[in-house]
Amino acid sequence: MAAVSRRKGTQTGTEPDVEAVLDDLYTTPPADFVARREELAAAAKGAGHVDDARRIHAARRPTLAAWAANLLLRSQPQESRRFLELGQALREAYRTLDAVGINELSEQRRRIVAALSGQAAQLAQEAGHRLSDQVRQDVESTLRAVLTDPDAADRWAGGRLEGALTPPSDFPGTAPPTGTAHKPRRETTPRPSARTRAKNELAERRRQREEQLDHARTAAEEAAQRLRDARAEEAEAEAARQQAHDRHDQARKQVSAAEQQLRQARQELQRADREEQEAAERGHAAADAHARARREAREADREVKRLTSRKR
């Protein structure tokens, strides 16, 4: 059973491990992949890691569908691990189920793949890339391959897909469903002991098939419930983000209005300062004029008294 991420990416000192660098590189949108690859390769080469730089430079840009599948794996590690485990359980169940059981599991498989590909499309859109219908079909094809083919599961678990995966026509080890269960051929002249053994073996096979079918159904239902829960959490997070965005806009408008009021208050203050200064200057000029007038009045009064004293 492949792990969701076989390379967690350790660090030595301050330099990232090349495996972690490659993991992050394959979650880079395809439009930015080449530029980011060359940047990382140059950094590794500049640090003296020539082999690492060569590996990074050799990385091939993924298609949009492969990038979305890589992004899903890295962004939803728990769901991806359960999806891989579900694929293993389904492959085990398909080896022994009859046509009716296969049809039931196929329907559940389609629902889970559709739900998980919807998550991949949502993650891609949040990263700024809306997936077309054709690209979403390629993502679903990749996820079906992961459920069907263990080699495809291992490739997806590596997190570095370069292109979409194609599922085989049917689960390995199963015959094409015909709509009816195969009935054991009855011998023309079975001996009683052989008939009893055949019945017991048939009953045991049926019991095993029922157990495997129940296990697969439970796993599929749990996976579907987890996907629904994840979608609900994403919806709540989106609602909270929208509320925060609205509050941010409101606060920004309030800050803008406050800044406008502050600018107006500063302008009013500057005008008041100018008017106060002008009034002070006029007050000083008036005081000076008043002082001059008082001096002139005193001088005129002395002159009058002097002239009056002469006439006497």
Side-chain angles (χ1 to χ4, degrees):
M1 176 62 190
V4 173
S5 177
R6 294 173 296 186
R7 297 169 295 277
K8 293 185 179 179
T10 58
Q11 289 188 349
T12 303
T14 59
E15 297 176 0
D17 180 76
V18 66
E19 301 297 341
V21 170
L22 288 170
D23 287 343
D24 291 339
L25 178 61
Y26 274 91
T27 59
T28 301
D32 305 324
F33 183 89
V34 174
R36 180 61 175 161
R37 180 190 64 190
E38 298 308 310
E39 177 186 352
L40 293 172
K45 186 176 181 180
H49 304 305
V50 179
D51 291 339
D52 291 348
R54 187 179 298 110
R55 286 190 61 193
I56 295 171
H57 185 72
R60 296 178 58 187
R61 182 176 63 180
T63 64
L64 196 57
W67 166 73
N70 293 334
L71 187 63
L72 175 66
L73 178 85
R74 299 298 178 193
S75 301
Q76 304 289 339
Q78 293 183 350
E79 290 300 324
S80 299
R81 183 176 62 254
R82 295 188 184 111
F83 187 70
L84 288 166
E85 293 172 352
L86 174 63
Q88 185 178 18
L90 289 177
R91 289 191 295 274
E92 291 293 333
Y94 264 71
R95 290 190 179 95
T96 55
L97 288 179
D98 56 19
V100 175
I102 288 176
N103 289 336
E104 291 181 2
L105 284 186
S106 296
E107 180 60 30
Q108 291 180 341
R109 176 165 55 101
R110 281 191 290 270
R111 290 198 301 268
I112 293 171
V113 166
L116 207 58
S117 67
Q119 277 194 329
Q122 179 65 28
L123 290 169
Q125 187 167 359
E126 291 173 359
H129 294 270
R130 183 180 179 276
L131 303 186
S132 65
D133 292 340
Q134 180 58 52
V135 174
R136 288 196 60 169
Q137 290 177 8
D138 290 341
V139 173
E140 291 188 2
S141 173
T142 298
L143 295 176
R144 288 197 303 272
V146 171
L147 286 181
T148 309
D149 185 0
D151 292 336
D154 287 340
R155 291 179 61 189
W156 183 59
R160 300 177 191 174
L161 290 181
E162 298 172 354
L165 302 178
T166 302
S169 59
D170 204 346
F171 271 72
T174 63
T178 60
T180 59
H182 293 289
K183 296 182 180 179
R185 186 180 61 183
R186 297 179 58 184
E187 297 181 5
T188 56
T189 57
R191 286 193 257 172
S193 58
R195 184 184 302 111
T196 301
R197 288 196 301 271
K199 287 183 179 179
N200 292 338
E201 291 174 359
L202 179 59
E204 179 63 19
R205 286 198 298 271
R206 286 177 177 172
R207 185 189 64 79
Q208 291 178 356
R209 285 199 298 268
E210 289 298 326
E211 288 181 356
Q212 292 167 349
L213 178 58
D214 289 341
H215 177 72
R217 283 172 176 167
T218 301
E221 290 171 358
E222 290 176 353
Q225 182 60 46
R226 287 192 294 268
L227 288 175
R228 288 193 293 270
D229 293 342
R231 282 194 164 184
E233 291 177 1
E234 287 179 354
E236 292 177 0
E238 176 61 21
R241 186 199 66 79
Q242 186 60 44
Q243 291 177 357
H245 179 71
D246 294 341
R247 287 195 299 269
H248 179 269
D249 285 346
Q250 184 178 2
R252 184 179 57 184
K253 292 176 182 177
Q254 291 174 348
V255 169
S256 178
E259 289 176 346
Q260 179 65 26
Q261 293 175 351
L262 179 60
R263 285 194 296 270
Q264 293 176 354
R266 284 176 176 171
Q267 293 173 357
E268 291 291 335
L269 180 60
Q270 291 173 355
R271 282 197 296 269
D273 288 341
R274 288 195 300 270
E275 291 174 356
E276 182 181 8
Q277 185 177 0
E278 292 173 356
E281 291 174 354
R282 288 196 300 270
H284 292 318
D288 293 342
H290 180 262
R292 285 195 302 272
R294 289 181 63 184
R295 287 194 301 271
E296 291 173 356
R298 284 196 298 269
E299 291 175 358
D301 186 57
R302 284 196 297 270
E303 182 66 19
V304 168
K305 289 180 180 179
R306 186 179 64 79
L307 294 175
T308 301
S309 63
R310 283 185 178 182
K311 286 183 180 180
R312 291 177 183 176

